[in-house]
Amino acid sequence: MPCQESDRPRCSRRRLLSWSLVAGCGLLAGRVGAASAAATAARQLEFHCLHTGDTVSAVYWEGGRYVADGLATIDHVLRDFRTGDVHPIDPYLLDLVHRLQLTMGCDGPVHVISGYRSPKTNAMLAQRSGKVAKNSYHVKGMAIDLRLPGRRLEDVRDMAMRLGGGGVGFYPDSQFVHMDTGPVRAW
Ligand SMILES: [Zn+2]
């Protein structure tokens, strides 16, 4: 199934998704104290964009709020690499990726195949391949195609699905997992 989506507005309730999810799986299993520490610690992400070669690291959440400079840095590295267009990336998507790394015990760079896609780029890709949705969440800054170095793609997919924060697509031929902040679904 391609990256399909509805026009349903984003569900703000999910932004409040409990950090107990983190406590429930992976490294922090059963450690309530560690989970509460994770809930207040600064959230930092490092992205390496495979198409541009750019690598950036940014703190995007700290002291109970999102950090504008950090978000802007990440928006830029996740830009449409074909056109250079920059678009705000959904902070909740960053939280999902952050949780994915945390629960898998990764602290290295997230390798990015695709982040934001301009309408022009998406239309071109959709014309080329039936696997690209015409109204992809990539166009809204709500999706990312990624892999985690040193982690099996199947394990990344399984953990992304376990987080239950949105859509998860498995693309073994292209060696990436798609994550988005649309409705929970998998393909
Ligand atoms: Zn995707």
Side-chain angles (χ1 to χ4, degrees):
M1 168 180 150
C3 304
Q4 288 176 350
E5 70 180 50
S6 68
D7 283 321
R8 196 168 72 87
R10 293 181 212 176
C11 176
S12 59
R13 181 178 54 81
R14 280 214 320 265
R15 290 175 190 282
L16 302 175
L17 199 73
S18 168
W19 276 86
S20 64
L21 244 181
V22 172
C25 48
L27 293 178
L28 301 179
R31 293 168 57 189
V32 176
S36 85
T40 54
R43 296 175 202 163
Q44 182 169 9
L45 280 170
E46 184 176 0
F47 288 109
H48 174 62
C49 178
L50 297 175
H51 287 286
T52 62
D54 289 355
T55 302
V56 301
S57 177
V59 172
Y60 73 92
W61 189 96
E62 191 168 29
R65 65 177 63 178
Y66 290 104
V67 180
D69 282 358
L71 292 177
T73 299
I74 291 172
D75 292 347
H76 187 260
V77 76
L78 297 184
R79 68 191 179 277
D80 183 330
F81 66 89
R82 290 180 177 86
T83 64
D85 291 327
V86 177
H87 186 280
I89 300 297
D90 184 359
Y92 181 67
L93 182 66
L94 303 182
D95 283 339
L96 275 182
V97 174
H98 186 258
R99 266 174 241 170
L100 179 73
Q101 280 213 297
L102 201 62
T103 50
M104 295 196 77
C106 299
D107 57 5
V110 175
H111 284 192
V112 180
I113 289 83
S114 182
Y116 170 64
R117 271 184 217 147
S118 65
K120 185 180 168 189
T121 294
N122 201 69
M124 181 269 288
L125 293 175
Q127 207 169 27
R128 266 198 217 163
S129 165
K131 287 184 178 177
V132 175
K134 282 185 180 161
N135 295 309
S136 164
Y137 279 110
H138 286 280
V139 178
K140 297 177 179 176
M142 296 167 62
I144 188 169
D145 298 335
L146 56 76
R147 62 179 77 128
L148 298 181
R151 294 292 183 275
R152 286 175 358 117
L153 204 63
E154 291 85 351
D155 295 339
V156 175
R157 172 201 57 192
D158 292 348
M159 185 56 77
M161 286 172 63
R162 229 173 133 183
L163 292 175
V168 177
F170 185 55
Y171 296 87
D173 292 347
S174 306
Q175 280 292 296
F176 70 77
V177 170
H178 163 108
M179 294 176 74
D180 67 54
T181 53
V184 175
R185 65 219 191 281
W187 62 93

